[in-house]
Amino acid sequence: MNTVTKESIEKKIVKKEYTVLEDGKTTICNIYLQNGFTVRGESSVVDVRNFHREYGQQRAFENAFQKLWVLEGYLLQEK
């Protein structure tokens, strides 16, 4: 294949783990890949009153997933 797709990246994900930091404002998403590599993304709000768990998880996942696009693109270029 000569392109990276969302589906090709999703197939490599075996687990997603979310952590809310002690500040109550920051969410970390840790994505585990089939080969054992992990990538992390984060999201944060300025005011803890604006924190919403689901939204924080979504944004943190998107941040981590974006990093996977770059890594997969690099891997494809190496081939």
Side-chain angles (χ1 to χ4, degrees), residues 15-30:
K15 180 180 171 185
K16 296 176 273 185
E17 182 177 66
Y18 298 97
T19 303
V20 177
L21 297 184
E22 201 173 303
D23 66 5
K25 300 187 295 186
T26 304
T27 303
I28 304 294
C29 174
N30 198 39

Side-chain angles (χ1 to χ4, degrees), residues 4 8 26 74:
V4 176
S8 67
T26 304
Y74 174 81

